[in-house]
Amino acid sequence: MTAPRLADVVAREIEQRMLEGGLKPGDRLPSERELSAQLGVSRASLREAIQKLIARGLLESRQGGGFANPWEEILRDHPAVHDDMLEFRHMLEGRAAECAARRATVADRERVWQSLAQLEEAFAGIDLDAQVDTDLAFHQAIAEASHNVIVGHLTASLLRLLRDNLRRNLSELMQVPAAKEQLLDQHRAVWRAIEQGNAEQAREVAADHIGFVRQNLSRMLRSDARHKP
């Protein structure tokens, strides 16, 4: 077996820092001298590794150094991270819906209702981007109705960061017979629980919604893997 090139090892190490949150989208990389010292490699190897990451779209070349949103590439290359993301949404959005059912004001419930109406309108059409945007807006309205600043911030950051991935997920889910109506029914169930102030029910149906997405996407990923040459 051929030993990996040093530049490949260095690129993998930088990518791992992205995965673990040590580097975030928009961050500037440390100086070349500092980063090469941290990684224990020559500047030449570091430069080659950085060029590899730029070519893959993980790093963005600009004054001061930095990197673009890496999640699209990472989610393609690391299936386990895809499931981790859905697992986190399962926990976060279940809790957000629970808190929203307990704390939502009249104005909050009106915003959630309006976002559901816009979602239903979008799902009645064929504009995938409109469907994605209204889906995200619905979940964000619930997060804000939770009246937990951290939940609202984390939800907004997560959904913004992963919009393109969510778009692809929704596109794939629409290949499942009756999935569109199932997704709508799940969103309606979350809304009803919030409207009625049923916190336990809100948590359960919100978590079930993400569970449905997770289960169907996992099945499709397994199917794709079996059909790859």
Side-chain angles (χ1 to χ4, degrees):
M1 181 181 293
T2 304
R5 290 172 54 83
L6 181 56
D8 292 327
V9 175
V10 174
R12 194 71 177 177
E13 172 63 25
I14 296 173
E15 183 177 341
Q16 190 64 33
R17 293 188 181 194
M18 296 177 189
L19 278 170
E20 294 172 350
L23 290 170
K24 301 178 180 62
D27 282 354
R28 292 181 178 179
L29 290 176
S31 69
E32 189 177 274
R33 181 174 61 183
E34 181 182 351
L35 190 54
S36 62
Q38 288 178 12
L39 298 173
V41 297
S42 69
R43 294 193 188 185
S45 294
L46 176 61
R47 289 190 200 108
E48 186 179 349
I50 287 174
Q51 287 304 313
K52 288 177 178 290
L53 293 171
I54 289 173
R56 291 177 57 199
L58 293 182
L59 286 177
E60 185 177 77
S61 180
R62 63 188 186 210
Q63 187 175 2
F67 70 95
N69 181 357
W71 286 101
E72 282 303 297
E73 182 81 17
I74 287 173
L75 286 167
R76 280 195 296 270
D77 292 349
H78 302 271
V81 177
H82 189 284
D83 195 59
D84 285 348
M85 180 269 289
L86 287 171
E87 182 178 55
F88 181 69
R89 286 193 65 194
H90 185 275
M91 295 183 289
L92 178 65
E93 296 189 28
R95 180 63 175 167
E98 177 186 4
C99 291
R102 288 195 174 116
R103 302 170 182 167
T105 64
V106 172
D108 291 330
R109 286 194 292 272
E110 177 64 22
R111 279 193 293 273
V112 176
W113 164 248
Q114 289 294 333
S115 66
L116 176 61
Q118 291 166 359
L119 174 66
E120 291 182 324
E121 182 180 352
F123 269 49
I126 59 172
D127 186 337
L128 181 60
D129 285 314
Q131 293 168 359
V132 172
D133 290 340
T134 54
D135 191 305
L136 298 184
F138 177 78
H139 289 286
Q140 185 59 36
I142 292 172
E144 291 172 6
S146 75
H147 289 275
N148 182 307
V149 172
I150 304 302
V151 168
H153 175 74
L154 283 177
T155 301
S157 298
L158 178 68
L159 297 180
R160 182 172 61 249
L161 200 63
L162 298 175
R163 184 191 183 281
D164 289 342
N165 178 257
L166 296 173
R167 185 184 189 280
R168 187 166 61 250
N169 288 354
L170 187 59
S171 176
E172 291 173 351
L173 277 172
M174 292 306 183
Q175 308 305 313
V176 178
K180 181 181 289 189
E181 194 58 36
Q182 287 177 288
L183 290 169
L184 281 173
D185 284 344
Q186 291 161 13
H187 287 87
R188 292 169 184 140
V190 176
W191 154 247
R192 283 194 298 269
I194 292 172
E195 181 189 29
Q196 296 165 6
N198 190 331
E200 183 177 348
Q201 180 72 5
R203 182 185 69 248
E204 289 178 0
V205 293
D208 286 348
H209 164 57
I210 301 300
F212 169 83
V213 174
R214 189 179 181 187
Q215 180 181 22
N216 279 280
L217 289 178
S218 294
R219 184 165 59 244
M220 283 185 279
L221 285 171
R222 289 195 300 270
S223 178
D224 287 346
R226 283 197 300 269
H227 289 90
K228 282 183 178 178

